[in-house]
Structure formats: structure tokens, C-alpha cells
Amino acid sequence: MRFGRHLAISGSLMVLAAGASAEAQDQDAPADELRQNTVTVTGSFIQGTPEDAALPVDVLTARDLRLEGNPTLTELIRNLGPSSGTDGESNQFGSNGLEGTANINLRGLGPGRTLVLINGRRQTVSPYAIGEQAQLFVNTNLIPGAAIGRIEVLKGGAAAIYGADAIAGVVNFITRHDLEGVELTGSFETFEGSDGNTELSASYGVQGERWNWVSTVGFRQRSETLVSEKDWAIVPFLEQPLNGWSSFGNPGSFVTLPNAQSSGITNAAVDPACSLLGGYDGGDRCRFQYAAFVDLVQGEEHVQVFSEYNRTLGDGVELHLEAMYSETDVPGVNTSPSYPPQTYTNQVLFADHPGLRAFLAANPDFSAALYGGPPTDDPLLFYGRPFALSGFPGTGFAQETPRAYEGLRFGGDLSGAFESGVTWDVGLTYSQNIGSRSIPDTFSAGFSNALAGFGVCTDPITGLDAQGLDPLSSAYSGTLVAGAGGCEYYNPFSNAIQSGAVNGVTNPGYDPAQANSPDLVDYLTGARSTEVTTDLWVFDAVISGESGFAAPGGLISYALGGQIRQESYELVPDAVSNLDVTPGASGDGPFSFLAGFSPQDEAHTIYAAFGELQIPLFDTVDVQAALRYEDYGGDIGSTVDPKIAGKWQISDAFALRVAAQTSFRGPTLNQLSGQLTTVSFVAPTGAFKAIDTFGNPDLKPESAASYDLGALFEQGGFQASLDYYHFDFEDAIIVEAQEEIVAAAAAAIATEDPSDDAIIDRITFNGADRDIAETARVRTNIVNGPSIETSGFDVRVSQDFDGFDAAALTLGLDASYVLEYVVGDFVIDGTAISGGDRVDQFNRSNFTRSLPQWKANLFANAAFGDHNLRGVVRHVDAYEDERDLASAVPIESHTTLDVFYNWAAPLAFDFGLSVVNVFDQDPPLAAFDVNYDPYTHNPFGRTFKISLSKRFGA
């Protein structure tokens, strides 16, 4: 990808040079033929639609962003009132493998239900889905922020205009093409615990008489910050057991096989160095805090190139061309030194293990606790993971797992007008995203072999020797000898650990002769690697104009169009991760914790036709009506969706608007087939477990009926709007929540009702007993799930004060209030799952994201001469942790103050200084791995940012 980066930057420079050359050839073209800014706003295809039409559209300009410190798109999206439950900060427990990406989640309906456009055209989705939702989304981190001229947010269903995915709304990123000259911008941002984040961009624009060419190159670097840098993020086990604590540690605990078979691990003996090295001795388990090893923010590098060319050809035909290249490199996500096993019953070591013999001799109290008397020849069961408090031997701290994303986009369109005045527009857009990630894990067979002394000398994937024989078989007839001839023992005891990786405490019981060798570490650990590619071709054609029919208020305008979309999705695992090649003993792959993948190569073509009318019903009443037909083909089928909206300008100051529509979203290609395995915390086990999610070829499109009611008032310097929204979903495509399956299975086990066996069969147990605490894996399916009904209000108020000689003052408020988010009851394998209202909840026990009832931004802006000062108070309401857990805590409300200063300095310099979270408020604590809610709150604390830009030329 680094080659691609250099190629893209070089190509951009060539483009700039070509643009400068072209300028010299067109100086005499008439200025009135130059392509102008589009007058079609988001939500309509009719040319000339005003921005204050019957649509709840918020517009954010580049100037608006600059006055708030040029936030990253992730920061901007999180602060939007209608935005709720977003991914975006590099937090592996919130993103589940999506580090380096970001998305938009309007109304909390899911990132896949908000349509993201670039210059009004679709963009392909990011390769990897949100694990617990299986939703693909547009990765906004690939969009170059420096190229954005404005952002339009349509807060309402728009499938009748734009088609699938526009259920919750549309966010349209519109690039700037009015730059002339060169603009250089740089910023540096830092907070406590960070080495700082740097952002650089260079933009070059040429404005000819009949053409313009603008290109932008951007670079953004984020420094790695560990969770442990924040004193609120890492707390003792007894204070918050859900703060990244696992019952599978190392040092671990041990039990003789006879005892394990009779009473499980409840009488296991804990390695005595557990507490010394930083664990928590729970009596029969050494608990390990994996959160202390992970990142709050990963080190990231983003490179983005965007180039746009516009030209007015003969007969007024306008040509638009654009190209985008984006690259994200996350070279190493810090993660746990090793993962816990999904199944531990194969972690057996025998009485002749040299590490065991040495450890028993040095720790007689442990020996007595383990055997209940003198040592016996009984084999031991190891309850733990390969590496934990010691850190990963290859790095001395955490394992590192890389992520990388590469995006391409090419688009072009021609537009013009016939002699009749009817306008036309045809466009073709291609976009591609490629994602790759590689996650280290322990080979299950290799670990079993190494515990028995056959490490390094056997195949870690199959567990077999060179002759294809199993050395752990009682009938083994090969030549290998445990611990001899190149075979090595893995030592799970603390005498193999020199010191604690987090607390730095030296282990007095360390015995170098019992340490695990680098060759053995390499033997035990492999990587699960995948590459996923998504492609999207879109052909659009639209005509619009005034009809020959008149309403009382004037001529009726129309738009007619069609669209063809071809989507493809290809998942390619490496041979070790490919379940078709390496199924492993269990069929889930060769790894101890992570499951493998089934390859996927899917594609489909979607056809659509639509029409739209703008009807000036009276002088003061305008109506928009639209209808769209979209055909997915095959078993998914087709859908027809209407929309009607109106605006009544009651007086010069006051207006009402209303919109009603149906919307839909077909299943994405990744949801129709294949198997995806993620990991989630399964509360009864006290550990993360594999959640196997299976695609469903029988999925139906989900649909929603929604309506919006709004009132607008504007008089003098006062502006206000109040909008009510209501969505009613049917057949919502969801991933069944593992929490609900586990809870239902636990209840079924307790009642011993045979009719409930189907829900219990969703769980794979450690051992033959159906003990919910011994859950190893949980099967979930992608299904058409329950109904969802949600409603609420958006409020926007601002007042300009003109009576000041030295300054212009503006006060404003932006707030969103969720009235309800009611999920209907539904059934999983014959077992009823209760729904309910999920507003004001953390929602860690279901498929919904966190939903505080209301959030608000209150701002004051003072402009005086070349200076601008803005303060923003941001508030997020308190909400509850709905889980019935002793450690669950309410998530308190959070109020912060941000201050931004901008100076339009002499010599075309712009200087900016920002302080976000001036009073350094910690995020509210939550019973979560990193002790806060990453979908809602900013964890960084007081953040300083300084920026400087310089313009050369006009």
C-alpha cells in the first residue's frame, strides 16, 4: 500500500501540472459558461430546489467547521444531535476489529441505515462489517477532510429519492471546487498520555474561464495511547470486574483431572505468583486484566488524495470528473498478550512435566493445595492462557495486530439542458475498498502438544509428527520423545515468568532453565489473516424540468431517472484461516480463540427507476412527491417506495413542513452467506467467547414507514426550527444477540424443559454437562428480526445580535430528544425474546447501541474584526445499564466546554487554537472493558489543538 501512496501523490502532482497547463489554453472562454455550484440540494433531483425546501436538511460549511477547530469527521459526526451510537475512535472493544475506520449512525438505527454520498453519488462500503450487527457501512475516514466544501445532513427517510440504505437519512459530503491558488494547512493536537496527532494538507486550485481544477493531498497521523494512560480507565477487579478482567490468566490455576471431572475447576489451585505479577487471585482462578495491555488510540496514518475537474463544453454541456485515493495504515493494534481458549479441556499436562516438577519442589504449599496431600501421578488441567501477565515474549508487552485499508474512487458525469429547458445528467461512478487484517492467536493442537512436551517438533496446526501420527495418542508408534530430540515443553507456571509486564515487579521464583524458548513461542502462535474487497459500479441518469402543467402556485417541476448498481463482496482468508482448507479438529479452524472464515465471493445488480414532482400547490404551499421502484432480483425481490413532503409558508417569518415516506434496505452481500466469528464478553463465563454468526440466504429487505413534522421561524436575527420524527420498522435485519440467547438457554437449562432444547443447542459447552458457565461458543444467525418504533424531536435555535460596535454576537442551541425506541418481542428457535423501550439504556445486552435520551450543544460566537471566538457547551444525558449485574452502574450525564479561537492574520495566514473539554472532565464510568461507553463519549480529556494555514494566490 505504501507504493500506492507514492503513486497516488505523484499522480496528483501530475494532475496539478496538467491543470496549470490547461489554464493557459482557455483564458479567452466566456465566464458565463463556467460550471457553477450545483443548485440541487440533498433530498431532491430537481434543479433549483431551494435549501429551505420541505426537507429537514442541515448544512455545515467549511467555514462552520473552521470555527470549531476543523474537527475530524469522526469528532464532527459524534457531536451531531441526531447521531447516536457511532463507531470511530480506535477502541478494539467498541469496534471489534474496525480500528482505523469511522461511520455515521443517525437516530441510533445502525450505520448501515444511513446513506453516505460524495458529491451526491454513492460510495462503496467498508470491507469489514460491524461484528455484532453484521452491518457494512461507508468508512468516513477515507474521505479527505480538507477537500470538503460543505456537508448536508438530511434527517429523514429518503429511499424514494436515493434508494436502499437511506432509511435514517443521508449525509452528503460535497467537495470544494472554488479554490484558486495554493492552500497549505497544518495542525497539531495533544492530550494527556498522547504524543500528539498531526494533520497536514495541501490544496491547489486553478480557475479558468470555462473550467476549474482543484486537488487536495492530506496526511493525518495519530499517536498510540494506551488505556493505562488514563487513571479512570484501569481499576481493580473488586471495584469493577467488567473492566477488562478475564478468568483465564497466566499465571493460571490448575486442577487434577479426577477433580476436574467430578467438580470442574471450583477447587483449582492458583499459581502463588498471581497477585505479585499483577493478577487477582479469586480463590480458584487467577484473573488477568487484559485492558491494561490495549490501546485507547492506535497509531494510525491516513493519506488521502482528491482531485476534481469541471469544464463547460459546447452547447452548455458540463463535464465533471473526480478521483480519490485513500489509504489507512494501522501498523499494530496492541491487544492481549494471548487470547484465552474457547475450549480448555485439551490443556492437559502430565506428572513428568519438568516445569511442574520444579515448581512443586519450590512451592510446597501450592503442591498441597493442588493434590490435597502428596503429589500424585494424575494429569493436570491448566485453566489459563499461554501468555498474560508476562506480556507476549516477542514484544515484551502486547501482541500487535495490523489493519490496513485502501480506497479508490473514480467518477464522471455530463449534464446540460435541451433547447426546451429540460436538464439532463448522466453519471458513472466506480469505487473500491480493500481491507486487510491479521490477528495473532495460539494454535490449539500445537498448545496441547507443547504442554505434553511435543512442541516445535510437531505440526502446530494438525498436531501430527512428520509421519502423520498423533504423539498424544495412546497408541502412538512414532519416534518422538517428549522434551527430547528437538521437542520442547511449554511451561505454564510462573517459574517461566521473569517479571510482570504491566507492574514491572520482578518474580523471585523465576527459573531461567524453565523459561519458554523463542522457538516455542513462534511455534505456538500464528495469524488469522483475511483480505476483503468491496466494489461498487453506479450508473445514474436523471432529467428534470418544468412540466406543461400548472398548479395554482405555478408550474409543476419534475425529475425522472434510473439507476443501475452493481455491488460485489469478496472475502479471501489465507490458507490457515480458510475453513475449507484448514477446518481444525472442531471445524472452526486451527486456532484456540479465533475461528476461521469461509471464503465469500458474491455480487448482484440492482435496477431502479424513480420519479419526483415539485408542486407549487399555492403561492405559500410547496409539495414534493416521489416514487421509486428498486429490483434486487433473485429471492430478495423488488420494492416500491413513495414519499410526499410539503411546506406551508404561513407568513414571512413562520412555516410548517411535513414529510411521509416508506424506506427500505435490502440485505448486504455479507449477510446472505458465509460465517463470521467475533468475540464478545459472555457474562456467565467471566470471559470473552467466540460468537459464530451465519449468513442467511432467505433474508427479506427491511422496510420502514416514517414521517417528519417541522416548524420553522425566522425573523430578524432569530432563527428556530422544531422537528418531530417517527420511524416504524418491519423485518429489521439484525444479528441475534448472544446475550439474549445465553440468558434464554440458562433459563431453559434451569427448567429442564425438553421443548427448549433448540435454544440450548445454540451453545457449545466445555465438557458434556450443559453448564452455562462452561459456554465455549455461541451460534447466532442473521435474521429478519423484531419491529422497531422510534420517535423524537430535534431543536435548533440561534440569535444574531447586531447592536455591538466591536463584535457580532451569535447564540445558538442544537438538541435532540429521543421519545421512544421500542423493540418488539420476537422468537429465537421457539423461545420468546422480550423487547421493550431501549431509550435511556446502555444496551449491552441486546443488538441496539447506547441511547441516551437527549443530547445538546449550546454555543456562543463572537466575531470582532479578523478574530473569532466560539464556546460550545456539550451535554449528554445520563442513562442506565440495563443488565442485571451486580457490577452494572448508571452512566452519568456528561457536560463539557470547548473553546475555539480563530484569527485571519495578515499575509493570508489563518491561525486557530482549540481547547476541547476545557475543564478536563473524565467520561462517565461504565461497566465495560475500558470503563466508559466508546459509542457515546470522548475519552481523551482536555485536548489542545493548534492549526495554521496559508494561502498563496487569489
Side-chain angles (χ1 to χ4, degrees):
M1 288 197 179
R2 294 186 184 276
F3 172 77
R5 175 188 306 176
H6 297 314
L7 178 64
I9 294 174
S10 300
S12 180
L13 295 176
M14 292 171 64
V15 162
L16 297 180
S21 173
E23 179 186 26
Q25 302 172 22
D26 253 337
Q27 293 298 321
D28 298 328
D32 59 355
E33 294 184 13
L34 175 63
R35 177 182 172 99
Q36 300 297 315
N37 289 342
T38 179
V39 292
T40 304
V41 301
T42 301
S44 174
F45 280 117
I46 295 177
Q47 295 287 326
T49 300
E51 289 192 8
D52 60 350
L55 307 166
V57 178
D58 293 340
V59 180
L60 299 169
T61 66
R63 179 179 180 275
D64 295 328
L65 301 182
R66 186 173 68 252
L67 295 183
E68 291 202 9
N70 282 321
T72 65
L73 294 182
T74 300
E75 295 167 328
L76 170 69
I77 291 161
R78 173 179 277 117
N79 291 332
L80 291 175
S83 175
S84 181
T86 62
D87 301 84
E89 295 304 344
S90 299
N91 181 302
Q92 61 188 277
F93 304 111
S95 67
N96 215 332
L98 300 178
E99 295 82 8
T101 68
N103 55 49
I104 303 172
N105 187 358
L106 295 181
R107 309 299 187 197
L109 292 173
R113 299 186 180 113
T114 297
L115 180 63
V116 176
L117 306 175
I118 301 176
N119 290 325
R121 311 282 183 180
R122 283 176 174 259
Q123 167 72 11
T124 190
V125 291
S126 192
Y128 292 104
I130 295 173
E132 73 275 19
Q133 298 181 349
Q135 284 192 19
L136 295 174
F137 57 89
V138 172
N139 177 12
T140 56
N141 267 351
L142 296 181
I143 301 173
I148 300 301
R150 73 181 188 273
I151 302 170
E152 296 183 349
V153 182
L154 172 59
K155 302 172 296 184
I161 303 296
Y162 294 108
D165 306 333
I167 289 181
V170 179
V171 178
N172 190 6
F173 294 90
I174 300 170
T175 56
R176 54 193 296 202
H177 59 262
D178 56 354
L179 176 66
E180 187 168 8
V182 175
E183 184 174 279
L184 303 177
T185 300
S187 66
F188 179 77
E189 177 186 63
T190 189
F191 54 85
E192 184 179 359
S194 170
D195 291 332
N197 305 326
T198 302
E199 191 165 1
L200 303 171
S201 67
S203 301
Y204 178 49
V206 182
Q207 302 292 323
E209 291 294 321
R210 299 177 60 184
W211 63 276
N212 60 59
W213 196 311
V214 179
S215 290
T216 298
V217 178
F219 171 79
R220 183 160 62 96
Q221 174 266 333
R222 301 184 78 185
S223 297
E224 177 186 82
T225 304
L226 291 171
V227 170
S228 56
E229 294 288 348
K230 298 298 183 181
D231 56 8
W232 49 264
I234 301 294
V235 298
F237 174 80
L238 293 178
E239 184 175 332
Q240 180 49 267
L242 294 183
N243 179 213
W245 288 92
S246 171
S247 58
F248 284 89
N250 187 313
S253 55
F254 302 83
V255 63
T256 63
L257 274 185
N259 281 337
Q261 290 162 356
S262 63
S263 59
I265 60 153
T266 56
N267 58 349
V270 175
D271 190 307
C274 172
S275 299
L276 173 73
L277 297 175
Y280 174 75
D281 186 341
D284 55 14
R285 308 184 190 191
C286 179
R287 297 186 180 271
F288 157 65
Q289 192 171 35
Y290 51 83
F293 288 85
V294 304
D295 295 320
L296 191 67
V297 178
Q298 280 72 232
E300 297 177 14
E301 288 187 359
H302 302 264
V303 174
Q304 301 151 334
V305 180
F306 188 88
S307 192
E308 174 179 347
Y309 178 73
N310 301 298
R311 186 181 187 90
T312 301
L313 307 174
D315 297 326
V317 175
E318 294 182 346
L319 169 69
H320 169 78
L321 298 173
E322 65 182 47
M324 183 175 78
Y325 173 80
S326 301
E327 183 179 303
T328 296
D329 186 19
V330 187
V333 177
N334 272 343
T335 188
S336 178
S338 70
Y339 296 127
Q342 297 295 347
T343 301
Y344 61 87
T345 50
N346 62 337
Q347 297 187 168
V348 178
L349 61 156
F350 299 97
D352 59 352
H353 191 297
L356 168 62
R357 291 201 304 263
F359 193 73
L360 294 178
N363 297 275
D365 290 343
F366 171 81
S367 177
L370 176 62
Y371 294 101
T376 69
D377 290 335
D378 291 329
L380 301 183
L381 187 66
F382 170 48
Y383 191 85
R385 64 180 76 197
F387 310 106
L389 296 173
S390 64
F392 180 64
T395 66
F397 189 62
Q399 288 190 109
E400 296 178 351
T401 165
R403 314 270 191 267
Y405 301 92
E406 190 171 27
L408 291 172
R409 178 183 171 92
F410 300 101
D413 62 74
L414 289 169
S415 60
F418 300 111
E419 290 184 1
S420 62
V422 174
T423 65
W424 55 270
D425 185 301
V426 293
L428 181 65
T429 307
Y430 170 73
S431 54
Q432 179 190 72
N433 278 351
I434 301 173
S436 62
R437 59 190 185 193
S438 181
I439 306 176
D441 195 10
T442 306
F443 291 118
S444 181
F447 191 55
S448 294
N449 279 5
L451 283 168
F454 294 105
V456 181
C457 62
T458 55
D459 188 312
I461 297 174
T462 64
L464 305 180
D465 67 7
Q467 282 99 22
L469 302 174
D470 181 3
L472 299 186
S473 169
S474 59
Y476 178 64
S477 59
T479 59
L480 297 183
V481 177
C487 296
E488 297 186 19
Y489 279 96
Y490 168 79
N491 182 8
F493 296 95
S494 61
N495 55 357
I497 301 175
Q498 187 170 7
S499 62
V502 172
N503 63 14
V505 172
T506 299
N507 178 17
Y510 171 62
D511 181 355
Q514 304 303 327
N516 296 303
S517 73
D519 288 344
L520 182 59
V521 173
D522 291 341
Y523 165 85
L524 291 175
T525 306
R528 187 190 70 163
S529 301
T530 57
E531 181 173 278
V532 183
T533 302
T534 62
D535 294 273
L536 175 65
W537 287 94
V538 184
F539 173 76
D540 296 285
V542 180
I543 61 171
S544 71
E546 291 184 340
S547 72
F549 301 96
L555 289 175
I556 297 173
S557 299
Y558 69 90
L560 296 171
Q563 184 182 79
I564 303 173
R565 303 196 307 272
Q566 186 181 70
E567 302 174 346
S568 64
Y569 177 89
E570 183 181 20
L571 185 154
V572 180
D574 67 354
V576 177
S577 310
N578 189 332
L579 293 177
D580 294 344
V581 178
T582 315
S586 64
D588 296 307
F591 296 109
S592 175
F593 183 62
L594 301 170
F597 290 92
S598 297
Q600 289 180 262
D601 190 358
E602 307 283 349
H604 61 195
T605 302
I606 303 164
Y607 300 91
F610 55 88
E612 179 188 357
L613 296 175
Q614 291 279 3
I615 307 169
L617 198 58
F618 302 104
D619 289 342
T620 59
V621 179
D622 289 307
V623 174
Q624 177 199 43
L627 185 71
R628 186 182 185 100
Y629 167 81
E630 194 146 315
D631 184 7
Y632 279 76
D635 295 333
I636 299 175
S638 60
T639 180
V640 176
D641 288 276
K643 176 173 184 173
I644 187 164
K647 181 182 178 183
W648 178 19
Q649 193 70 46
I650 297 175
S651 67
D652 290 343
F654 185 63
L656 297 176
R657 63 186 178 198
V658 61
Q661 58 270 311
T662 64
S663 299
F664 68 97
R665 175 175 169 266
T668 51
L669 292 170
N670 68 304
Q671 296 174 333
L672 293 170
S673 64
Q675 173 185 347
L676 171 70
T677 298
T678 58
V679 291
S680 293
F681 187 81
V682 177
T685 71
F688 274 73
K689 295 297 177 180
I691 311 300
D692 301 315
T693 300
F694 290 83
N696 182 354
D698 298 324
L699 287 173
K700 299 182 295 182
E702 57 187 10
S703 61
S706 61
Y707 61 90
D708 307 88
L709 305 172
L712 303 93
F713 184 83
E714 181 176 358
Q715 188 168 40
F718 181 76
Q719 294 181 325
S721 66
L722 173 65
D723 288 289
Y724 169 81
Y725 66 87
H726 182 97
F727 291 86
D728 197 348
F729 263 93
E730 295 294 335
D731 297 318
I733 299 174
I734 65 165
V735 176
E736 297 165 332
Q738 61 89 3
E739 295 90 348
E740 293 174 332
I741 292 173
V742 171
I749 291 170
T751 59
E752 299 182 349
D753 186 343
S755 65
D756 292 328
D757 280 354
I759 194 72
I760 301 173
D761 290 342
R762 291 294 197 94
I763 296 177
T764 302
F765 297 95
N766 277 304
D769 293 336
R770 300 195 299 184
D771 181 354
I772 204 69
E774 294 296 331
T775 297
R777 321 183 67 89
V778 183
R779 173 175 177 143
T780 63
N781 295 323
I782 302 173
V783 297
N784 289 107
S787 63
I788 301 174
E789 187 173 358
T790 181
S791 62
F793 291 97
D794 296 326
V795 179
R796 295 173 66 91
V797 178
S798 67
Q799 172 69 60
D800 295 328
F801 297 92
D802 299 326
F804 297 89
D805 294 333
L809 180 64
T810 302
L811 300 178
L813 170 68
D814 176 7
S816 291
Y817 185 91
V818 185
L819 283 172
E820 61 177 354
Y821 194 106
V822 178
V823 175
D825 298 340
F826 61 110
V827 175
I828 299 177
D829 281 337
T831 298
I833 305 296
S834 298
D837 195 347
R838 294 179 177 174
V839 174
D840 196 34
Q841 291 186 173
F842 193 16
N843 291 320
R844 293 305 300 165
S845 63
N846 53 66
F847 62 82
T848 318
R849 288 288 175 84
S850 48
L851 273 173
Q853 187 147 50
W854 66 281
K855 56 191 294 190
N857 300 315
L858 176 66
F859 77 90
N861 192 93
F864 39 98
D866 295 329
H867 304 271
N868 194 92
L869 183 64
R870 173 173 293 210
V872 182
V873 176
R874 307 191 192 280
H875 179 82
V876 178
D877 191 23
Y879 47 104
E880 298 294 324
D881 190 328
E882 79 289 351
R883 294 171 294 178
D884 185 19
L885 299 172
S887 58
V889 295
I891 294 90
E892 298 178 353
S893 63
H894 195 224
T895 304
T896 59
L897 170 65
D898 303 342
V899 175
F900 309 95
Y901 168 72
N902 287 273
W903 176 31
L907 303 177
F909 279 97
D910 279 329
F911 172 78
L913 179 63
S914 307
V915 185
V916 173
N917 193 355
V918 172
F919 297 109
D920 198 22
Q921 297 293 307
D922 293 337
L925 299 182
F928 195 49
D929 304 83
V930 285
N931 228 23
Y932 81 105
D933 177 3
Y935 304 119
T936 302
H937 295 114
N938 183 330
F940 304 138
R942 184 187 296 115
T943 303
F944 297 93
K945 182 177 181 179
I946 186 170
S947 61
L948 185 66
S949 66
K950 165 67 177 172
R951 294 179 300 280
F952 300 89

